[in-house]
C-alpha cells in the first residue's frame, strides 16, 4: 500500500483541483510531498532498525502510515492534505526497506532470491494498479476512500506483525550520525524536489530547479567524505558497502533499470489518454497485462536466481523488456490494442525477471548486521533513479509535443503526438538495453558457490539469528 500510494493519487488530481479550487501545480504537491518524505526518511531506516529493532520500527511505521492516511481523508483544505501526505510518506518510506531487511535476514543467502521475488510483487504492481484502484474508488465512492482504504489494512498488518515477527534482540545502541542526517536527508529532499520540478518548469535551467537541485547535490556530495572519513563509527549510510563488488554492480544496474522502468511507466497511461482518448481508469486497466506478465515470471526468476545465480536471469529479463519497449516505438494513432497489450505483457515478463534478482544479488552477500544498511542503500538508489527517470521522460515528451501544430487538423495533431511518444520510447529502449552492461557483471553462480573474492567475509549469515528468523517465514 505504501508503494501503491505513490501513484494512487494521480487519478484524483483533477478532483482535488475542483474540491480545493486549486491549480494543477498546487495539487501536484499531494504527490511530490509524499515522494519527498519517502526519500528523506529512507536513510534513517538502517540506523533506526539497528537501534530499536526491526519489529518495533515496522509496527511504528505501520501506525504512522495508517494514521497519516486517516488524516488525509479528513483534510479540509489542500495545505493540510499535503502536510498529511508528508506524514503518510514518513511512515511509508520505512516500510519497504524494513520489509526487505526482515525477510532477507530470515531467508539467508540460499533462499534470498525466492523471498525477494515475493517482495517484488508489490514493488512492481503498486505503480501499475495504483491508478486503477484510485479511479475505481473515486467513481464508486469519493476521493476520501483512496486514503481510508489504508486504515483497515494497516490495522490488520499491525496485528499480524505483532503476533508473528520474532522479538527484537537489540544490541547496545549505536551512536546516531547527526551530521550525516543533516547532510543526506535534506540533500535528498532538495535534489529530488529540483528534479521533480523540471516537468513543471519545462527546463533544467530554471532558478527553481537549479537552486534546489544544486544545493541538494552539494549536501549529498558533502556527505560522502564524512561517511568515509571514519570519524563516525556508524554513518547514516554505510558507503563501505560499495567495497562489495556485487553491491556496487547491483546499484549501477538498479539505477539504470529504475530510470528506464519508472520513467517509461509515466508514458504508457499518457499515450492511452492523450492519443487514444481513454479516461484515467481505462488507461490504468489497459496496463494490467504488464502486471500479469510480471506475476508469471517473478516466482520462477526467484527460484532460478537461488539455483543458478541472478546474472543469467537478469540479462534474459532485460533482453525481454527491451523487445517489449521496442514494440512501443512503433505506436501510432490507430495501433491495434492487441499489439500494445502484447507489448506490455512482454515487458511484464521481463520486469518480473529483473528488478528483484538485482536486489537479491546485492543482499545475498551481506551478513546479518549489514542487511538493514544494504536494503536502505538499494531503496535510496531506486527512489532517486526513479525520480530522475520520471523527470527525464517528462521533459523529453514535453519538448516533443511542442513541435506538434495544435492548430492543424485533428488527425494530424494526433499523428504528431503519437510520433513524439514513439521518439521518447526509442530513448527508453536504449536506456533499458544499457542495463545489459552491469547485468553481465552480476554473479552467474548460486550464492553458496560464489568465490571468496566475489563474496568476501560478508557472505556468512549469523547462524545464531536464523532459528528465530526462520519462524517469521
Amino acid at each position: 500500500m505504501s508503494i501503491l500510494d505513490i501513484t494512487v493519487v494521480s487519478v484524483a488530481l483533477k478532483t482535488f483541483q475542483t474540491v480545493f479550487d486549486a491549480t494543477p501545480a498546487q495539487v501536484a504537491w499531494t504527490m511530490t510531498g509524499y515522494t519527498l518524505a519517502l526519500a528523506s526518511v529512507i536513510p534513517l531506516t538502517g540506523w533506526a532498525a539497528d537501534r530499536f529493532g526491526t519489529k518495533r520500527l515496522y509496527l511504528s511505521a505501520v501506525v504512522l502510515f495508517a494514521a497519516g492516511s486517516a488524516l488525509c481523508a479528513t483534510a479540509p483544505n489542500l495545505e493540510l492534505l499535503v502536510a498529511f501526505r508528508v506524514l503518510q510518506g514518513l511512515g511509508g518510506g520505512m516500510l519497504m526497506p524494513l520489509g526487505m531487511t526482515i525477510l532477507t535476514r530470515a531467508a539467508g543467502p540460499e533462499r534470498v532470491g525466492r523471498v525477494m521475488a515475493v517482495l517484488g510483487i508489490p514493488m512492481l504492481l503498486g505503480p501499475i494498479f495504483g491508478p486503477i484502484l484510485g479511479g475505481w474508488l473515486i467513481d464508486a465512492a469519493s476521493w476520501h476512500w483512496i486514503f481510508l482504504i489504508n486504515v483497515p489494512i494497516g490495522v490488520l498488518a499491525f496485528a499480524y506483525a505483532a503476533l508473528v515477527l520474532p522479538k527484537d534482540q537489540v544490541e547496545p545502541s549505536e551512536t546516531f550520525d547527526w551530521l550525516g542526517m543533516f547532510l543526506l536527508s535534506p540533500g535528498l529532499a532538495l535534489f529530488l524536489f529540483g528534479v521533480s520540478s523540471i516537468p513543471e518548469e519545462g527546463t533544467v535551467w530554471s532558478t527553481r530547479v537549479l537552486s534546489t537541485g544544486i544545493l541538494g547535490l552539494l549536501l549529498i556530495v558533502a556527505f560522502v567524505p564524512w561517511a568515509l572519513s571514519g570519524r563516525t563509527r556508524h554513518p547514516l549510510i554505510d558507503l563501505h558497502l560499495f567495497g562489495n563488488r556485487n553491491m556496487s554492480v547491483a546499484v549501477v544496474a538498479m539505477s539504470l533499470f529504475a530510470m528506464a522502468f519508472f520513467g517509461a511507466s509515466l508514458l504508457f497511461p499518457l499515450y492511452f489518454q492523450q492519443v487514444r482518448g481513454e479516461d484515467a481508469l481505462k488507461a490504468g486497466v489497459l496496463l494490467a497485462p504488464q502486471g500479469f506478465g510480471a506475476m508469471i515470471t517473478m516466482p520462477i526468476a526467484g527460484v532460478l536466481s537461488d539455483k543458478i545465480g541472478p546474472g543469467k536471469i537478469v540479462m534474459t529479463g532485460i533482453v525481454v523488456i527491451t523487445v517489449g519497449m521496442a514494440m512501443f516505438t512503433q505506436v501510432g494513432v490507430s495501433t491495434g490494442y492487441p499489439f500494445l497489450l502484447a507489448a506490455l505483457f512482454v515487458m511484464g515478463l521481463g520486469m518480473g525477471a529483473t528488478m528483484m534478482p538485482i536486489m537479491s544479488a546485492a543482499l545475498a552477500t551481506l551478513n546479518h548486521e549489514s542487511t538493514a544498511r544494504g536494503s536502505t542503500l538499494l531503496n535510496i538508489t531506486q527512489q532517486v533513479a526513479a525520480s530522475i527517470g520520471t523527470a527525464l521522460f517528462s521533459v523529453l515528451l514535453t519538448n516533443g509535443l511542442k513541435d506538434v501544430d495544435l492548430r492543424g487538423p485533428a488527425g494530424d495533431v494526433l499523428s504528431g503526438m503519437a510520433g513524439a511518444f514513439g521518439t521518447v520510447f526509442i530513448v527508453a529502449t536504449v536506456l533499458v538495453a544499457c542495463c545489459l552492461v552491469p547485468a553481465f557483471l552480476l554473479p552467474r553462480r548460486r550464492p553458496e558457490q560464489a568465490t571468496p573474492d566475489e563474496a568476501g567475509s560478508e557472505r556468512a549469515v549469523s547462524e545464531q539469528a536464523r532459528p528465530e528468523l526462520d519462524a517469521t517465514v
Side-chain angles (χ1 to χ4, degrees):
M1 297 305 292
S2 67
I3 296 173
L4 184 144
D5 266 47
I6 297 174
T7 56
V8 73
V9 173
S10 61
V11 294
L13 295 181
K14 287 185 179 180
T15 304
F16 292 156
Q17 290 179 51
T18 303
V19 171
F20 298 117
D21 190 22
T23 65
Q26 290 172 330
V27 299
W29 275 100
T30 57
M31 293 185 67
T32 306
Y34 182 84
T35 305
L36 294 182
L38 209 70
S40 300
V41 77
I42 287 175
L44 302 175
T45 307
W47 169 83
D50 292 337
R51 170 63 180 85
F52 301 107
T54 52
K55 179 176 183 176
R56 293 175 194 154
L57 192 62
Y58 186 85
L59 294 175
S60 301
V62 169
V63 170
L64 193 59
F65 177 74
S69 300
L71 290 170
C72 285
T74 63
N77 53 56
L78 185 62
E79 292 76 14
L80 279 177
L81 177 59
V82 172
F84 294 148
R85 280 284 282 171
V86 170
L87 182 66
Q88 188 189 26
L90 293 176
M94 290 187 283
L95 289 173
M96 184 49 66
L98 276 173
M100 288 175 62
T101 299
I102 292 168
L103 289 174
T104 305
R105 286 179 176 177
E110 72 279 2
R111 292 183 295 171
V112 70
R114 279 165 282 184
V115 170
M116 293 298 283
V118 175
L119 190 63
I121 292 174
M123 293 186 73
L124 282 177
L125 301 191
I128 295 172
F129 290 110
I132 300 175
L133 178 64
W136 177 74
L137 287 171
I138 291 172
D139 288 344
S142 70
W143 67 267
H144 305 83
W145 281 95
I146 64 176
F147 301 114
L148 285 175
I149 192 174
N150 291 324
V151 177
I153 295 175
V155 171
L156 290 173
F158 183 92
Y160 184 70
L163 287 173
V164 302
L165 291 182
K167 185 178 179 182
D168 289 319
Q169 301 290 336
V170 181
E171 299 296 326
S173 62
E174 296 181 355
T175 55
F176 184 63
D177 182 14
W178 288 102
L179 180 58
M181 183 194 71
F182 288 126
L183 289 173
L184 189 58
S185 287
L188 282 171
L190 286 169
F191 177 72
L192 292 181
F193 174 77
V195 169
S196 301
S197 301
I198 294 174
E200 184 181 338
E201 296 292 318
T203 175
V204 178
W205 306 111
S206 73
T207 303
R208 176 180 174 184
V209 172
L210 288 177
S211 59
T212 55
I214 291 176
L215 178 58
L217 194 59
L218 289 174
L219 290 172
I220 294 171
V221 170
F223 172 78
V224 175
W226 165 252
L228 295 175
S229 66
R231 283 181 287 178
T232 176
R233 288 184 58 195
H234 305 288
L236 197 62
I237 295 296
D238 187 2
L239 298 182
H240 292 96
L241 289 174
F242 283 113
N244 182 308
R245 177 181 176 276
N246 288 347
M247 173 63 77
S248 300
V249 172
V251 166
V252 174
M254 176 58 66
S255 299
L256 290 173
F257 176 77
M259 286 177 63
F261 169 57
F262 291 105
S265 295
L266 169 80
L267 302 177
F268 303 129
L270 287 179
Y271 166 77
F272 286 127
Q273 289 177 282
Q274 295 184 11
V275 178
R276 308 305 291 266
E278 308 292 356
D279 58 33
L281 178 57
K282 189 170 182 181
V285 172
L286 288 169
L287 297 178
Q290 198 175 43
F292 295 141
M295 284 191 289
I296 290 172
T297 55
M298 197 172 290
I300 300 172
V303 173
L304 291 178
S305 181
D306 289 336
K307 289 185 176 180
I308 63 175
K312 297 174 185 176
I313 308 302
V314 173
M315 290 186 68
T316 303
I318 291 171
V319 170
V320 174
I321 296 174
T322 304
V323 171
M325 194 73 75
M327 293 172 68
F328 259 89
T329 63
Q330 306 304 309
V331 292
V333 178
S334 57
T335 306
Y337 274 175
F339 177 84
L340 298 176
L341 298 181
L344 287 168
F345 181 72
V346 169
M347 272 188 285
L349 292 174
M351 289 168 188
T354 302
M355 187 165 74
M356 300 318 290
I358 290 175
M359 289 190 170
S360 66
L363 297 179
T365 59
L366 299 181
N367 63 16
H368 179 78
E369 291 74 21
S370 301
T371 302
R373 306 293 177 131
S375 61
T376 298
L377 180 59
L378 285 170
N379 276 271
I380 291 174
T381 300
Q382 180 189 324
Q383 188 64 47
V384 172
S387 298
I388 293 173
T390 301
L392 170 66
F393 287 110
S394 295
V395 171
L396 290 174
L397 181 61
T398 301
N399 290 335
L401 293 176
K402 283 181 181 178
D403 298 331
V404 179
D405 184 7
L406 300 178
R407 294 169 297 181
D412 293 342
V413 171
L414 291 177
S415 180
M417 293 174 66
F421 275 95
T423 302
V424 181
F425 279 122
I426 292 175
V427 178
T429 303
V430 172
L431 193 57
V432 171
C434 289
C435 296
L436 284 169
V437 178
F440 179 76
L441 301 175
L442 289 172
R444 291 190 289 275
R445 290 189 297 273
R446 57 190 300 176
E448 60 266 27
Q449 292 176 336
T451 64
D453 179 59
E454 287 177 331
S457 59
E458 287 194 325
R459 261 209 87 264
V461 175
S462 173
E463 291 299 326
Q464 281 187 336
R466 284 290 300 281
E468 266 197 338
L469 292 164
D470 281 344
T472 309
V473 175

